[in-house]
Amino acid sequence: MMTFGLKASLLLLAILLFTDCLHVQGQNCEPSDKIRGKKPPPGECNDGNDSECCEEGKFYTTYKCSPQVSSHTKGFLTLNGFDKGEDGGAPSECDNQYHSNDIPVVALSTGWYNKGSRCLNNITITANGRSVVAMVVDECDSTTGCDNDHDYQPPCHNNIVDASRAVWKALGVPDDKWGGMDITWSDA
């Protein structure tokens, strides 16, 4: 009788552990807050590369996390200018430098940027039947925006890989299709 109780207890424990692991794997990154947009001072929002400028009174969702990274993490590729004076704003977080758009570099959403743990490391981006290796040089801030530090642009969504022109070229995307595209990526 005691053997049956022990076996049943072990089976129940195994089922609970398994379902708990499934729950952790399936957890989504939920929005953390909202910020209210402020109208940028005249000429202060750089809307190059189809960047969005904040609108007065509009609410923008913020995130402190990004989807879990895997060998084929789903993301959304956007176009960013990393040269001085472009829509990327300030110098890159990782090295306090501007970067040529002729070099494959990216900024990752806050959760994937992970407090700089991927700084100056390469990731592999796959889309359009091709792959490219790009260096992480910046954070695409998902926690705040609509201020001078963020070039009066809204917070990034939690699944953004913000890429230089070199990345788009290497993926073979025609110039007129640059701006937004579903991709997968992984640490290189």
Side-chain angles (χ1 to χ4, degrees), residues 98-112:
Y98 291 101
H99 295 270
S100 169
N101 290 306
D102 297 327
I103 298 170
V105 292
V106 297
L108 297 177
S109 293
T110 296
W112 289 338

Side-chain angles (χ1 to χ4, degrees), residues 108-120:
L108 297 177
S109 293
T110 296
W112 289 338
Y113 181 74
N114 195 17
K115 299 177 184 164
S117 70
R118 288 193 168 83
C119 270
L120 306 180

Side-chain angles (χ1 to χ4, degrees), residues 32-168:
S32 58
D33 204 356
K34 288 190 180 283
I35 62 168
R36 184 186 298 264
K38 301 174 203 157
K39 184 177 181 180
E44 291 296 312
C45 180
N46 186 334
D47 60 0
N49 295 320
D50 293 326
S51 291
E52 181 183 355
C53 294
C54 292
E55 295 178 31
E56 182 74 35
K58 181 176 178 182
F59 284 96
Y60 297 94
T61 303
T62 62
Y63 296 87
K64 293 180 182 173
C65 56
S66 291
Q68 184 175 348
V69 175
S70 69
S71 61
H72 291 79
T73 306
K74 291 181 182 180
F76 192 73
L77 192 70
T78 55
L79 179 61
N80 187 43
F82 291 87
D83 278 327
K84 187 172 185 162
E86 295 209 29
D87 64 310
S92 298
E93 286 280 325
C94 294
D95 58 6
N96 201 33
Q97 301 289 317
Y98 291 101
H99 295 270
S100 169
N101 290 306
D102 297 327
I103 298 170
V105 292
V106 297
L108 297 177
S109 293
T110 296
W112 289 338
Y113 181 74
N114 195 17
K115 299 177 184 164
S117 70
R118 288 193 168 83
C119 270
L120 306 180
N121 290 321
N122 291 329
I123 64 169
T124 302
I125 301 165
T126 304
N128 201 33
R130 296 187 185 184
S131 292
V132 60
V133 173
M135 183 185 296
V136 176
V137 296
D138 209 351
E139 174 184 17
C140 192
D141 199 334
S142 305
T143 63
T144 190
C146 298
D147 57 16
N148 186 48
D149 286 347
H150 297 90
D151 210 21
Y152 294 96
Q153 296 172 2
C156 286
H157 292 281
N158 67 342
N159 65 338
I160 298 297
V161 177
D162 209 10
S164 65
R165 291 178 194 94
V167 171
W168 287 87

Side-chain angles (χ1 to χ4, degrees), residues 168-183:
W168 287 87
K169 286 179 185 176
L171 291 173
V173 179
D175 296 12
D176 63 337
K177 303 281 189 211
W178 291 4
M181 179 171 76
D182 290 326
I183 59 152

Side-chain angles (χ1 to χ4, degrees), residues 2-18:
M2 189 146 174
T3 305
F4 177 75
L6 181 60
K7 287 181 183 177
S9 296
L10 288 174
L11 179 60
L12 182 60
L13 180 62
I15 290 170
L16 287 172
L17 285 173
F18 178 73

